[in-house]
Structures are given as C-alpha cells and as structure tokens.
Amino acid sequence: RQPIPGVHLRSTFQSIFSVSHGKVVGHEALLRGEDDRGTELTPGELFPQLVARYSAHDVNELCTRLHLGSFAR
C-alpha cells in the first residue's frame, strides 16, 4: 500500500566519508518519491504531502521502516 496515492517512495543511500580515516564510516538514508508517471518529486513537493496526511511521528516511522527494509535488501 502506498502512503500517498499515486506516489511511490524509495530509499537512496549516500555514503559518509571520513577524510581523517580515509574511508566510508556510514550512510545517510534519503527519502525519494516519484509520481505514477515516474517523475521525481522534489523534497518541497513530497514532504508537504506527507505531513498533510500523517503526524511527524508517523512520517518518521514510515521513513525508518522503508530505510531499514531497503538497506537490508
């Protein structure tokens, strides 16, 4: 089930690189969304739709579950 009708959510992971250690030390999980036509939504388009439908707690829970599942795969 999609949290927002017509919007598909996915995770993207960006590496966090430590210059002092010279290696990747973690990853930042980023939320991305696209409409049914495959057009990517900007954060300015996506997040207002999320917060209009859900509480901040529910948005956080949704993102956490999505990112954990995506990272595990």
Side-chain angles (χ1 to χ4, degrees):
R1 179 171 86 81
Q2 297 175 34
I4 303 171
V7 175
H8 305 275
L9 300 177
R10 64 182 168 81
S11 298
T12 300
F13 298 96
Q14 180 172 316
S15 300
I16 300 171
F17 186 81
S18 169
V19 175
S20 61
H21 293 97
K23 64 180 181 178
V24 173
V25 295
H27 296 87
E28 175 183 22
L30 305 169
L31 183 68
R32 298 289 186 244
E34 58 184 42
D35 63 22
D36 284 334
R37 296 181 316 248
T39 303
E40 186 147 337
L41 302 173
T42 68
E45 295 167 327
L46 177 59
F47 283 96
Q49 291 184 56
L50 283 171
V51 298
R53 288 177 165 74
Y54 303 101
S55 69
H57 175 269
D58 289 342
V59 171
N60 185 58
E61 181 80 14
L62 170 77
C63 293
T64 300
R65 288 179 183 274
L66 177 67
H67 294 326
L68 287 173
S70 296
F71 193 76
R73 281 189 293 286

